[in-house]
Amino acid sequence: MSRVLITGIAGLFGANFSRYLIAKGYNVIGIDNLSGGYLENIPSGVDFYNIDLLDTHSISNIFKNTRPDYVYHFAAYAAVGLSHFIRNFNYQNNVIASVNLINECLRHNIEKIIFTSSMDVYGSGNPPYFESHVPKPEDPYGIAKLAIEQDLAAAHSQFGLRYSIIRPHNVFGLYQNIWDKYRNVIGIWIRQILEGMPITIYGDGTQVRSFSDIQFCMTPLSHLMSEFDGEIFNIGADQHITINELSDTLRGAAEGLGYSASTIHMEKRKEVHTAFCDHSKAKGYLEFEDKTNLTDLMTRMLKWARIQPKREVKMLNYEIDSGMYAYWRNE
Ligand SMILES: NC(=O)c1ccc[n+]([C@@H]2O[C@H](COP(=O)([O-])OP(=O)(O)OC[C@H]3O[C@@H](n4cnc5c(N)ncnc54)[C@H](O)[C@@H]3O)[C@@H](O)[C@H]2O)c1
Protein backbone atom coordinates (compact mmCIF):
# COMPACT_ATOMS: atom_id res chain seq x y z
CA MET A 1 0.00 0.00 0.00
CA SER A 2 1.22 3.54 -0.75
CA ARG A 3 2.98 5.70 1.83
CA VAL A 4 1.24 9.01 2.39
CA LEU A 5 2.93 11.88 4.21
CA ILE A 6 0.56 14.35 5.87
CA THR A 7 1.85 17.68 7.17
CA GLY A 8 -0.25 19.33 9.88
CA ILE A 9 -1.40 15.88 10.99
CA ALA A 10 -2.33 17.07 14.49
CA GLY A 11 -4.79 19.66 13.16
CA LEU A 12 -8.37 19.45 11.89
CA PHE A 13 -7.68 18.25 8.34
CA GLY A 14 -4.70 16.09 9.31
CA ALA A 15 -6.41 14.31 12.22
CA ASN A 16 -9.51 13.53 10.16
CA PHE A 17 -7.84 12.60 6.88
CA SER A 18 -5.20 10.40 8.55
CA ARG A 19 -8.00 8.38 10.19
CA TYR A 20 -9.71 8.06 6.80
CA LEU A 21 -6.51 6.83 5.10
CA ILE A 22 -5.56 4.42 7.89
CA ALA A 23 -9.03 2.86 7.71
CA LYS A 24 -8.39 2.29 4.00
CA GLY A 25 -5.06 0.57 4.72
CA TYR A 26 -2.57 3.29 3.72
CA ASN A 27 0.73 3.75 5.54
CA VAL A 28 0.58 7.22 7.01
CA ILE A 29 3.56 9.34 7.99
CA GLY A 30 2.80 12.56 9.85
CA ILE A 31 4.65 15.82 10.46
CA ASP A 32 3.49 18.53 12.85
CA ASN A 33 5.26 21.00 15.12
CA LEU A 34 2.25 20.99 17.48
CA SER A 35 1.96 24.77 17.27
CA GLY A 36 -1.74 24.60 16.47
CA GLY A 37 -2.58 20.91 16.80
CA TYR A 38 -2.30 18.40 19.64
CA LEU A 39 -0.53 15.07 19.98
CA GLU A 40 -3.76 13.46 21.24
CA ASN A 41 -5.41 14.21 17.86
CA ILE A 42 -3.05 11.91 15.98
CA PRO A 43 -4.44 8.38 15.55
CA SER A 44 -2.40 5.34 16.47
CA GLY A 45 -0.66 3.76 13.53
CA VAL A 46 0.81 7.03 12.25
CA ASP A 47 4.60 7.26 11.93
CA PHE A 48 4.73 10.70 13.56
CA TYR A 49 7.52 13.33 13.56
CA ASN A 50 7.29 16.39 15.79
CA ILE A 51 9.15 18.64 13.38
CA ASP A 52 8.81 22.19 12.13
CA LEU A 53 8.73 22.46 8.33
CA LEU A 54 11.27 25.28 8.64
CA ASP A 55 13.80 22.66 9.81
CA THR A 56 15.11 21.63 6.38
CA HIS A 57 17.63 19.12 7.73
CA SER A 58 15.00 17.13 9.62
CA ILE A 59 12.51 17.26 6.75
CA SER A 60 15.16 15.93 4.42
CA ASN A 61 15.91 13.04 6.79
CA ILE A 62 12.22 12.16 7.10
CA PHE A 63 11.90 11.94 3.31
CA LYS A 64 15.09 9.84 3.10
CA ASN A 65 13.97 7.44 5.80
CA THR A 66 10.26 7.12 5.03
CA ARG A 67 10.19 7.57 1.20
CA PRO A 68 6.61 8.87 0.88
CA ASP A 69 4.74 8.31 -2.38
CA TYR A 70 2.17 11.07 -1.84
CA VAL A 71 2.18 14.26 0.22
CA TYR A 72 -0.87 16.07 1.60
CA HIS A 73 0.30 19.48 2.75
CA PHE A 74 -2.12 20.80 5.39
CA ALA A 75 0.33 22.52 7.78
CA ALA A 76 -0.15 26.29 8.03
CA TYR A 77 -1.10 28.97 10.51
CA ALA A 78 -4.46 30.04 9.16
CA ALA A 79 -5.32 33.31 10.87
CA VAL A 80 -6.72 35.53 8.16
CA GLY A 81 -7.27 38.79 10.08
CA LEU A 82 -4.28 38.36 12.36
CA SER A 83 -1.89 37.75 9.47
CA HIS A 84 -1.52 41.54 8.97
CA PHE A 85 0.09 41.78 12.41
CA ILE A 86 2.37 38.73 12.11
CA ARG A 87 3.62 39.27 8.59
CA ASN A 88 7.08 37.76 8.91
CA PHE A 89 5.78 34.74 10.84
CA ASN A 90 3.00 34.26 8.29
CA TYR A 91 5.36 34.19 5.31
CA GLN A 92 7.94 32.03 7.09
CA ASN A 93 5.39 29.53 8.29
CA ASN A 94 3.10 29.45 5.27
CA VAL A 95 5.44 30.20 2.34
CA ILE A 96 9.04 29.28 3.26
CA ALA A 97 7.95 26.17 5.17
CA SER A 98 5.88 25.07 2.15
CA VAL A 99 8.77 25.72 -0.23
CA ASN A 100 11.02 23.56 1.98
CA LEU A 101 8.50 20.76 1.66
CA ILE A 102 8.12 21.20 -2.10
CA ASN A 103 11.94 21.07 -2.49
CA GLU A 104 11.98 17.69 -0.75
CA CYS A 105 9.12 16.47 -2.95
CA LEU A 106 11.23 17.39 -5.98
CA ARG A 107 14.44 15.85 -4.63
CA HIS A 108 12.68 12.60 -3.82
CA ASN A 109 10.56 12.37 -6.94
CA ILE A 110 7.30 11.80 -5.11
CA GLU A 111 4.20 10.81 -7.07
CA LYS A 112 2.12 13.86 -6.23
CA ILE A 113 1.48 16.67 -3.71
CA ILE A 114 -1.98 17.92 -2.69
CA PHE A 115 -2.11 21.39 -1.20
CA THR A 116 -4.82 23.05 0.88
CA SER A 117 -5.01 26.65 -0.24
CA SER A 118 -7.99 28.79 0.87
CA MET A 119 -11.04 30.74 -0.27
CA ASP A 120 -9.09 33.71 1.08
CA VAL A 121 -7.22 33.94 -2.25
CA TYR A 122 -10.37 35.43 -3.83
CA GLY A 123 -10.28 38.56 -1.66
CA SER A 124 -13.49 40.59 -1.66
CA GLY A 125 -14.76 39.97 -5.19
CA ASN A 126 -18.41 39.20 -5.89
CA PRO A 127 -19.44 35.85 -4.43
CA PRO A 128 -20.01 33.10 -5.27
CA TYR A 129 -16.35 32.64 -6.12
CA PHE A 130 -15.54 30.27 -8.96
CA GLU A 131 -12.15 28.63 -9.48
CA SER A 132 -11.91 30.58 -12.74
CA HIS A 133 -11.98 33.95 -10.92
CA VAL A 134 -8.72 35.86 -10.90
CA PRO A 135 -7.45 35.67 -7.30
CA LYS A 136 -6.96 38.99 -5.49
CA PRO A 137 -6.01 38.19 -1.89
CA GLU A 138 -6.19 41.11 0.52
CA ASP A 139 -4.26 39.82 3.51
CA PRO A 140 -0.86 38.16 4.03
CA TYR A 141 -2.42 34.75 4.70
CA GLY A 142 -4.23 34.75 1.34
CA ILE A 143 -1.15 36.12 -0.41
CA ALA A 144 0.92 33.27 1.07
CA LYS A 145 -1.60 30.68 -0.14
CA LEU A 146 -1.63 32.14 -3.64
CA ALA A 147 2.19 32.21 -3.69
CA ILE A 148 2.29 28.46 -3.04
CA GLU A 149 -0.39 27.78 -5.65
CA GLN A 150 1.80 29.61 -8.16
CA ASP A 151 5.00 27.98 -6.91
CA LEU A 152 3.43 24.54 -7.47
CA ALA A 153 2.52 25.52 -11.03
CA ALA A 154 6.12 26.65 -11.60
CA ALA A 155 7.51 23.43 -10.08
CA HIS A 156 5.25 21.45 -12.39
CA SER A 157 6.35 23.34 -15.46
CA GLN A 158 10.08 23.19 -14.59
CA PHE A 159 10.32 19.73 -13.01
CA GLY A 160 7.07 17.96 -13.83
CA LEU A 161 5.90 17.89 -10.19
CA ARG A 162 2.32 16.60 -10.08
CA TYR A 163 -0.03 18.54 -7.81
CA SER A 164 -3.68 19.41 -7.10
CA ILE A 165 -5.12 22.18 -4.96
CA ILE A 166 -8.24 22.57 -2.87
CA ARG A 167 -9.53 25.91 -1.63
CA PRO A 168 -11.60 25.08 1.44
CA HIS A 169 -13.65 27.55 3.44
CA ASN A 170 -14.99 27.47 6.99
CA VAL A 171 -14.66 23.74 7.50
CA PHE A 172 -15.07 22.53 11.08
CA GLY A 173 -15.37 19.41 13.18
CA LEU A 174 -13.79 17.22 15.83
CA TYR A 175 -10.06 17.83 16.51
CA GLN A 176 -10.37 21.51 15.61
CA ASN A 177 -8.31 23.77 17.84
CA ILE A 178 -10.79 25.46 20.21
CA TRP A 179 -8.06 27.11 22.29
CA ASP A 180 -6.85 29.53 19.63
CA LYS A 181 -7.84 33.09 20.45
CA TYR A 182 -7.57 34.29 16.87
CA ARG A 183 -9.35 31.86 14.59
CA ASN A 184 -12.02 29.18 14.14
CA VAL A 185 -15.14 31.07 15.13
CA ILE A 186 -17.09 27.96 16.17
CA GLY A 187 -14.10 26.68 18.16
CA ILE A 188 -13.70 30.00 19.98
CA TRP A 189 -17.40 30.07 20.85
CA ILE A 190 -17.41 26.46 22.08
CA ARG A 191 -14.56 27.25 24.47
CA GLN A 192 -16.35 30.37 25.67
CA ILE A 193 -19.58 28.42 26.29
CA LEU A 194 -17.77 25.67 28.22
CA GLU A 195 -16.01 28.31 30.33
CA GLY A 196 -19.31 30.05 31.10
CA MET A 197 -18.34 33.17 29.15
CA PRO A 198 -20.51 35.13 26.71
CA ILE A 199 -19.78 34.37 23.09
CA THR A 200 -18.10 37.19 21.19
CA ILE A 201 -19.12 38.50 17.78
CA TYR A 202 -16.94 40.99 15.91
CA GLY A 203 -19.10 43.81 14.55
CA ASP A 204 -22.85 43.51 14.00
CA GLY A 205 -22.80 39.82 13.07
CA THR A 206 -24.36 40.30 9.63
CA GLN A 207 -21.26 38.89 7.94
CA VAL A 208 -22.15 35.92 5.73
CA ARG A 209 -20.18 32.65 5.53
CA SER A 210 -20.82 28.96 4.82
CA PHE A 211 -19.82 26.33 7.38
CA SER A 212 -19.27 22.72 6.47
CA ASP A 213 -18.49 19.43 8.14
CA ILE A 214 -14.91 18.15 7.64
CA GLN A 215 -16.20 14.62 6.97
CA PHE A 216 -17.43 15.67 3.51
CA CYS A 217 -13.88 16.67 2.48
CA MET A 218 -12.53 13.12 2.84
CA THR A 219 -13.67 11.57 -0.45
CA PRO A 220 -12.72 14.64 -2.54
CA LEU A 221 -9.25 14.70 -0.96
CA SER A 222 -8.73 11.02 -1.69
CA HIS A 223 -9.67 11.47 -5.36
CA LEU A 224 -6.90 14.01 -5.76
CA MET A 225 -4.23 11.44 -4.91
CA SER A 226 -4.42 10.00 -8.39
CA GLU A 227 -6.59 12.34 -10.48
CA PHE A 228 -7.05 15.93 -11.63
CA ASP A 229 -3.43 17.05 -11.78
CA GLY A 230 -2.98 20.81 -11.87
CA GLU A 231 -6.64 21.42 -11.01
CA ILE A 232 -8.04 23.67 -8.29
CA PHE A 233 -11.30 22.90 -6.44
CA ASN A 234 -13.40 24.96 -4.04
CA ILE A 235 -14.68 22.92 -1.10
CA GLY A 236 -17.27 24.02 1.46
CA ALA A 237 -20.96 24.43 2.21
CA ASP A 238 -23.52 25.81 -0.23
CA GLN A 239 -25.78 27.04 2.56
CA HIS A 240 -24.95 30.63 3.63
CA ILE A 241 -25.56 31.87 7.12
CA THR A 242 -24.96 35.11 9.01
CA ILE A 243 -22.66 35.08 12.00
CA ASN A 244 -25.67 36.03 14.17
CA GLU A 245 -27.63 33.01 12.87
CA LEU A 246 -24.59 30.80 13.43
CA SER A 247 -24.32 31.93 17.05
CA ASP A 248 -28.05 31.25 17.58
CA THR A 249 -27.59 27.74 16.16
CA LEU A 250 -24.64 27.04 18.45
CA ARG A 251 -26.43 28.43 21.50
CA GLY A 252 -29.38 26.16 20.65
CA ALA A 253 -27.09 23.12 20.45
CA ALA A 254 -25.43 24.12 23.74
CA GLU A 255 -28.80 24.55 25.46
CA GLY A 256 -29.66 20.99 24.43
CA LEU A 257 -26.67 19.90 26.55
CA GLY A 258 -27.54 22.14 29.50
CA TYR A 259 -25.32 25.17 28.76
CA SER A 260 -26.63 28.68 28.38
CA ALA A 261 -24.68 31.50 26.81
CA SER A 262 -25.25 35.14 26.06
CA THR A 263 -23.76 37.01 23.13
CA ILE A 264 -21.71 40.21 23.10
CA HIS A 265 -20.74 42.30 20.08
CA MET A 266 -17.22 43.67 19.91
CA GLU A 267 -15.23 46.05 17.73
CA LYS A 268 -15.73 45.36 14.01
CA ARG A 269 -12.82 43.66 12.30
CA LYS A 270 -11.54 44.54 8.86
CA GLU A 271 -12.81 41.53 6.92
CA VAL A 272 -14.73 40.55 3.81
CA HIS A 273 -18.45 40.94 4.61
CA THR A 274 -19.90 38.19 2.43
CA ALA A 275 -17.83 35.28 1.21
CA PHE A 276 -18.86 31.94 -0.23
CA CYS A 277 -17.92 29.77 -3.18
CA ASP A 278 -19.45 27.80 -5.99
CA HIS A 279 -18.76 24.06 -5.61
CA SER A 280 -20.09 22.64 -8.86
CA LYS A 281 -16.60 21.62 -10.01
CA ALA A 282 -15.94 19.56 -6.86
CA LYS A 283 -19.44 18.07 -7.04
CA GLY A 284 -18.96 17.14 -10.69
CA TYR A 285 -15.50 15.59 -10.42
CA LEU A 286 -14.70 14.73 -6.80
CA GLU A 287 -18.02 13.26 -5.57
CA PHE A 288 -18.24 16.23 -3.23
CA GLU A 289 -21.57 16.45 -1.47
CA ASP A 290 -22.09 18.73 1.48
CA LYS A 291 -24.73 17.37 3.86
CA THR A 292 -23.67 19.41 6.88
CA ASN A 293 -26.12 19.44 9.77
CA LEU A 294 -24.87 22.37 11.86
CA THR A 295 -26.77 21.54 15.04
CA ASP A 296 -25.76 17.90 14.93
CA LEU A 297 -22.06 18.63 14.33
CA MET A 298 -22.01 21.41 16.93
CA THR A 299 -23.55 19.03 19.47
CA ARG A 300 -20.91 16.39 18.71
CA MET A 301 -18.17 19.02 18.98
CA LEU A 302 -19.46 20.28 22.33
CA LYS A 303 -19.53 16.72 23.68
CA TRP A 304 -15.99 16.12 22.41
CA ALA A 305 -14.71 19.50 23.65
CA ARG A 306 -15.97 19.06 27.20
CA ILE A 307 -13.89 15.92 27.72
CA GLN A 308 -10.66 17.47 26.37
CA PRO A 309 -7.91 18.45 28.82
CA LYS A 310 -7.91 22.10 29.88
CA ARG A 311 -5.47 23.86 27.59
CA GLU A 312 -3.74 27.18 27.59
CA VAL A 313 -4.97 29.90 25.24
CA LYS A 314 -1.76 31.32 23.78
CA MET A 315 -1.07 34.89 22.74
CA LEU A 316 1.21 35.52 19.77
CA ASN A 317 3.99 38.09 19.57
CA TYR A 318 2.83 40.82 17.22
CA GLU A 319 5.26 42.33 14.74
CA ILE A 320 3.02 45.35 14.12
CA ASP A 321 0.83 46.93 16.82
CA SER A 322 -0.70 49.71 14.77
CA GLY A 323 -4.49 49.32 14.54
CA MET A 324 -4.57 46.23 16.75
CA TYR A 325 -8.11 45.44 17.92
CA ALA A 326 -8.75 45.89 21.65
CA TYR A 327 -9.64 42.21 22.12
CA TRP A 328 -6.30 41.07 20.69
CA ARG A 329 -4.04 43.48 22.57
CA ASN A 330 -1.45 41.88 24.84
CA GLU A 331 -2.35 43.36 28.23
N1 LIG B 1 -10.36 24.64 8.34
C1 LIG B 1 -10.72 25.47 7.39
O1 LIG B 1 -11.86 25.93 7.34
C2 LIG B 1 -9.76 25.89 6.32
C3 LIG B 1 -10.19 26.82 5.39
C4 LIG B 1 -9.30 27.22 4.39
C5 LIG B 1 -8.04 26.69 4.32
N2 LIG B 1 -7.64 25.79 5.25
C6 LIG B 1 -6.27 25.28 5.14
O2 LIG B 1 -6.30 23.88 5.33
C7 LIG B 1 -5.12 23.46 6.04
C8 LIG B 1 -5.52 22.67 7.24
O3 LIG B 1 -6.33 23.49 8.07
P1 LIG B 1 -6.77 23.02 9.51
O4 LIG B 1 -8.11 23.62 9.76
O5 LIG B 1 -6.57 21.56 9.66
O6 LIG B 1 -5.71 23.81 10.39
P2 LIG B 1 -5.13 23.42 11.82
O7 LIG B 1 -4.59 24.67 12.41
O8 LIG B 1 -6.15 22.65 12.59
O9 LIG B 1 -3.94 22.43 11.48
C9 LIG B 1 -2.72 22.87 10.98
C10 LIG B 1 -1.63 22.04 11.63
O10 LIG B 1 -0.38 22.44 11.07
C11 LIG B 1 0.60 22.46 12.10
N3 LIG B 1 1.66 23.38 11.68
C12 LIG B 1 1.54 24.72 11.47
N4 LIG B 1 2.72 25.23 11.07
C13 LIG B 1 3.60 24.20 11.02
C14 LIG B 1 4.98 24.10 10.69
N5 LIG B 1 5.71 25.18 10.34
N6 LIG B 1 5.58 22.89 10.76
C15 LIG B 1 4.86 21.79 11.11
N7 LIG B 1 3.57 21.83 11.44
C16 LIG B 1 2.94 23.02 11.41
C17 LIG B 1 -0.17 22.92 13.33
O11 LIG B 1 0.47 22.53 14.53
C18 LIG B 1 -1.52 22.25 13.13
O12 LIG B 1 -1.59 21.00 13.79
C19 LIG B 1 -4.34 24.73 6.34
O13 LIG B 1 -3.34 24.88 5.37
C20 LIG B 1 -5.35 25.84 6.21
O14 LIG B 1 -4.76 27.05 5.81
C21 LIG B 1 -8.46 25.39 6.25
Side-chain angles (χ1 to χ4, degrees):
M1 207 49 169
S2 303
R3 288 181 295 277
V4 183
L5 171 66
I6 298 180
T7 74
I9 195 155
L12 173 70
F13 271 77
N16 283 282
F17 194 55
S18 56
R19 283 172 170 76
Y20 177 91
L21 288 183
I22 286 171
K24 295 214 173 293
Y26 285 92
N27 295 310
V28 178
I29 304 140
I31 293 179
D32 203 295
N33 65 359
L34 305 180
S35 57
Y38 296 92
L39 202 53
E40 295 80 356
N41 291 349
I42 303 171
S44 57
V46 169
D47 181 12
F48 174 61
Y49 298 86
N50 179 354
I51 294 294
D52 193 312
L53 288 174
L54 290 169
D55 176 354
T56 47
H57 179 71
S58 298
I59 302 300
S60 182
N61 280 338
I62 292 169
F63 270 76
K64 257 186 234 142
N65 295 334
T66 64
R67 293 173 293 105
D69 301 302
Y70 299 94
V71 172
Y72 281 82
H73 179 33
F74 298 143
Y77 187 63
V80 177
L82 186 72
S83 66
H84 292 288
F85 303 97
I86 50 167
R87 297 162 52 79
N88 185 294
F89 174 77
N90 169 73
Y91 291 120
Q92 289 289 332
N93 201 65
N94 297 344
V95 178
I96 302 302
S98 300
V99 171
N100 291 343
L101 181 74
I102 294 167
N103 280 351
E104 286 312 320
C105 293
L106 292 170
R107 289 184 191 121
H108 291 269
N109 248 328
I110 62 142
E111 292 287 335
K112 185 167 176 186
I113 179 169
I114 293 87
F115 173 57
T116 41
S117 178
S118 169
M119 170 180 79
D120 205 41
V121 299
Y122 294 112
S124 57
N126 278 338
Y129 307 131
F130 287 81
E131 292 86 348
S132 55
H133 285 182
V134 177
K136 281 193 190 155
E138 295 179 4
D139 54 68
Y141 168 68
I143 293 168
K145 288 293 188 189
L146 183 59
I148 296 307
E149 288 193 9
Q150 294 178 335
D151 186 67
L152 285 168
H156 168 72
S157 124
Q158 180 70 25
F159 305 108
L161 179 67
R162 294 175 58 207
Y163 72 95
S164 293
I165 292 169
I166 65 161
R167 291 177 178 161
H169 58 102
N170 302 104
V171 179
F172 74 112
L174 300 196
Y175 310 112
Q176 186 156 46
N177 188 336
I178 62 166
W179 300 271
D180 192 312
K181 188 178 165 59
Y182 306 102
R183 66 199 182 114
N184 305 335
V185 59
I186 294 172
I188 291 174
W189 288 348
I190 285 179
R191 177 175 49 78
Q192 290 171 331
I193 289 171
L194 296 183
E195 290 177 358
M197 290 154 59
I199 68 175
T200 50
I201 295 178
Y202 305 134
D204 64 6
T206 61
Q207 304 93 309
V208 176
R209 297 289 184 275
S210 303
F211 293 85
S212 63
D213 185 335
I214 182 77
Q215 67 168 299
F216 303 118
C217 294
M218 302 295 105
T219 304
L221 280 169
S222 69
H223 272 294
L224 295 178
M225 201 183 284
S226 55
E227 302 173 275
F228 308 113
D229 290 9
E231 294 290 337
I232 299 178
F233 295 91
N234 294 332
I235 297 271
D238 287 328
Q239 196 93 34
H240 322 141
I241 186 169
T242 67
I243 295 299
N244 287 329
E245 289 165 341
L246 186 75
S247 75
D248 289 344
T249 311
L250 178 60
R251 286 194 299 140
E255 269 163 28
L257 295 174
Y259 299 94
S260 70
S262 57
T263 305
I264 49 168
H265 290 262
M266 308 186 84
E267 185 184 357
K268 183 178 178 337
R269 234 174 54 181
K270 185 171 184 302
E271 62 179 333
V272 176
H273 182 271
T274 301
F276 53 89
C277 291
D278 176 271
H279 309 108
S280 37
K281 187 172 172 187
K283 286 179 188 165
Y285 294 102
L286 304 181
E287 289 184 89
F288 175 57
E289 195 182 3
D290 174 60
K291 290 191 269 180
T292 302
N293 179 324
L294 286 177
T295 301
D296 176 59
L297 180 53
M298 285 168 168
T299 304
R300 282 190 287 122
M301 272 185 84
L302 280 157
K303 286 183 181 167
W304 167 81
R306 68 183 177 186
I307 56 168
Q308 297 307 302
K310 188 157 173 51
R311 289 177 168 135
E312 190 197 345
V313 178
K314 291 180 235 162
M315 298 291 288
L316 287 179
N317 292 324
Y318 307 134
E319 296 158 22
I320 309 285
D321 287 325
S322 170
M324 176 60 73
Y325 309 107
Y327 40 78
W328 282 350
R329 268 184 220 132
N330 284 317
E331 249 90 61

